[in-house]
Amino acid sequence: MKRPTDRRTILMTFGAAAVAAVAAPIAAQPTDIRGAVTFEGGAVVPKGHLEIYLEDPAIQDSARRRATKTRISSDGGSKTINFSLSAPASSMASPTLRIVARLERADGWLVARGSTKVKAGSPVYVTLNTVMY
């Protein structure tokens, strides 16, 4: 014998579907940070390895301070190098979060460095400045 579906069951089903429909786009929002790195004065980015990472100076633990990083090779012929980082959702809420870019030669010497604050939802532009020893 089948039980007739009551109004309460129908409302609960529609309510659960509505919550799922609203929560899916929120959970699916990308936490990718996209941006570009340029060299000071609009010059060509020198040849080397470009390390780009997220850093939160408010975190005291140095192991947790750097959240995500990527490494890109520069051939010495581009004025702009595009990048993408996947950021943990928990770090995007920090107002002190910044992106740091370091350019090193093949022998490990630091050539240039730059950083900028991260603004959620907008591309990030980092300008590398020559390091003086």
Side-chain angles (χ1 to χ4, degrees):
M1 177 179 206
K2 286 186 171 181
R3 276 182 36 194
T5 306
D6 62 349
R7 181 177 172 197
R8 182 176 173 214
T9 305
I10 293 172
L11 289 175
M12 287 178 58
T13 303
F14 282 122
V19 168
V22 169
I26 292 171
Q29 286 183 352
T31 55
D32 284 354
I33 299 172
R34 297 186 186 280
V37 175
T38 57
F39 201 71
E40 64 183 339
V44 173
V45 178
K47 186 175 182 178
H49 298 287
L50 189 60
E51 184 176 324
I52 304 167
Y53 55 90
L54 285 172
E55 181 178 67
D56 192 350
I59 297 176
Q60 298 299 320
D61 182 14
S62 62
R64 288 185 36 222
R65 182 175 291 175
R66 291 186 183 178
T68 304
K69 73 177 184 178
T70 187
R71 205 165 161 93
I72 302 170
S73 292
S74 171
D75 60 0
S78 302
K79 287 189 174 191
T80 303
I81 298 175
N82 296 319
F83 68 89
S84 176
L85 285 173
S86 8
S90 61
S91 68
M92 290 306 292
S94 175
T96 58
L97 187 66
R98 64 182 178 178
I99 292 216
V100 178
R102 296 171 45 98
L103 180 66
E104 298 176 356
R105 293 189 318 204
D107 61 3
W109 278 85
L110 182 63
V111 176
R113 184 183 186 283
S115 66
T116 189
K117 286 190 173 190
V118 175
K119 295 175 187 151
S122 61
V124 178
Y125 301 101
V126 181
T127 301
L128 294 173
N129 298 301
T130 305
V131 174
M132 298 292 191
Y133 287 102

